[in-house]
Amino acid sequence: AQSVSQHNHHVILSEAASLELGCNYSYGGTVNLFWYVQYPGQHLQLLLKYFSGDPLVKGIKGFEAEFIKSKFSFNLRKPSVQWSDTAEYFCAVNARRYSGGGADGLTFGKGTHLIIQP
Amino acid sequence: DARVTQTPRHKVTEMGQEVTMRCQPILGHNTVFWYRQTMMQGLELLAYFRNRAPLDDSGMPKDRFSAEMPDATLATLKIQPSEPRDSAVYFCASGLGTGGQPQHFGDGTRLSIL
């Protein structure tokens, strides 16, 4: 079974600071990787995803993430954060199956609560 | 924008009562997921369906929880009898059947069992 570890449970930054949120996964096979964001009281929204190809993926709102296979990592970055980025961020993974195919349920990390101070 | 619709948004009920949560997936999506979010456990997969057939419900307590898809536009999650430890936000998500496609989440049902 796969597992996901997010190292920072709470992060507090000032506006314009750079952001990096760590995510490591544990799984022996090939995976699909996702970052979701949850604003207070709202549903989860997809920020970005990695399936294959370029390990540096760009998402919405200026976020990007880099897949480093050798480190089993998929860290989220943003060069300059804004107050509106205050939210909960979840890294998630599902196994990529070659036979049968199909989207599997996601395994989520515990989340990182990001607070941006004006 | 197509959305996953969940009802009710909030539910408060007493312990022992039956609770039914409903989800309307995005039209054309053939995979439906149920997740539960709590402070202690975070987001956990409870069950999921593909083409209305249950594929995995290993995350769901079998004695009191049941999940069904009566038709392609409706998924239900029932708890009977409910217990205070079931208090959580329950999210439904839908996606395409091809591997790795992102899941689209509904707004969730915030359930409080007194």
Side-chain angles (χ1 to χ4, degrees):
Chain A
Q2 57 258 38
S3 65
V4 178
S5 175
Q6 291 182 243
H7 314 299
N8 312 102
H9 297 294
H10 298 275
V11 173
I12 301 174
L13 295 172
S14 298
E15 277 195 312
S18 65
L19 170 72
E20 181 160 2
L21 300 182
C23 172
N24 286 91
Y25 68 93
S26 172
Y27 182 67
T30 305
V31 294
N32 305 301
L33 298 155
F34 307 82
W35 276 97
Y36 282 85
V37 60
Q38 186 178 31
Y39 298 103
Q42 295 189 25
H43 63 281
L44 282 85
Q45 301 173 41
L46 181 69
L47 272 180
L48 46 78
K49 59 186 187 289
Y50 172 81
F51 297 155
S52 63
D54 189 343
L56 184 63
V57 292
K58 295 192 183 299
I60 60 172
K61 303 178 189 283
F63 286 91
E64 64 179 32
E66 185 176 12
F67 171 51
I68 302 179
K69 190 175 180 180
S70 61
K71 294 184 178 180
F72 297 89
S73 70
F74 190 55
N75 292 353
L76 181 71
R77 299 195 292 248
K78 185 170 183 178
S80 176
V81 294
Q82 302 171 305
W83 177 79
S84 58
D85 293 325
T86 294
E88 190 91 15
Y89 291 81
F90 294 93
C91 182
V93 61
N94 66 4
R96 192 182 306 171
R97 303 186 190 281
Y98 292 106
S99 61
D104 293 327
L106 292 168
T107 299
F108 284 90
K110 294 289 190 191
T112 296
H113 187 197
L114 175 65
I115 296 173
I116 306 300
Q117 296 176 329
Chain B
D1 248 0
R3 295 283 305 274
V4 174
T5 303
Q6 287 186 251
T7 55
R9 289 294 310 277
H10 302 274
K11 176 75 175 179
V12 181
T13 192
E14 292 187 342
M15 173 176 154
Q17 297 298 306
E18 177 178 299
V19 173
T20 299
M21 291 169 273
R22 294 176 174 80
C23 169
Q24 181 177 2
I26 291 172
L27 189 64
H29 284 184
N30 67 347
T31 310
V32 176
F33 305 84
W34 283 104
Y35 293 90
R36 176 171 62 184
Q37 185 178 34
T38 61
M39 289 291 292
M40 293 301 295
Q41 300 299 324
L43 276 154
E44 305 171 283
L45 175 68
L46 295 176
Y48 71 102
F49 294 77
R50 178 159 304 120
N51 298 322
R52 296 176 55 199
L55 280 194
D56 185 353
D57 62 1
S58 58
M60 203 166 67
K62 303 289 192 304
D63 56 337
R64 299 182 299 107
F65 284 61
S66 62
E68 295 179 347
M69 275 201 79
D71 61 60
T73 64
L74 177 65
T76 62
L77 180 66
K78 289 186 182 180
I79 308 174
Q80 170 63 19
S82 57
E83 296 181 3
R85 59 180 167 149
D86 301 328
S87 298
V89 181
Y90 291 81
F91 287 102
C92 175
S94 71
L96 295 171
T98 52
Q101 288 299 314
Q103 298 170 23
H104 300 263
F105 284 77
D107 288 331
T109 294
R110 185 173 294 274
L111 177 64
S112 296
I113 308 296
L114 306 177

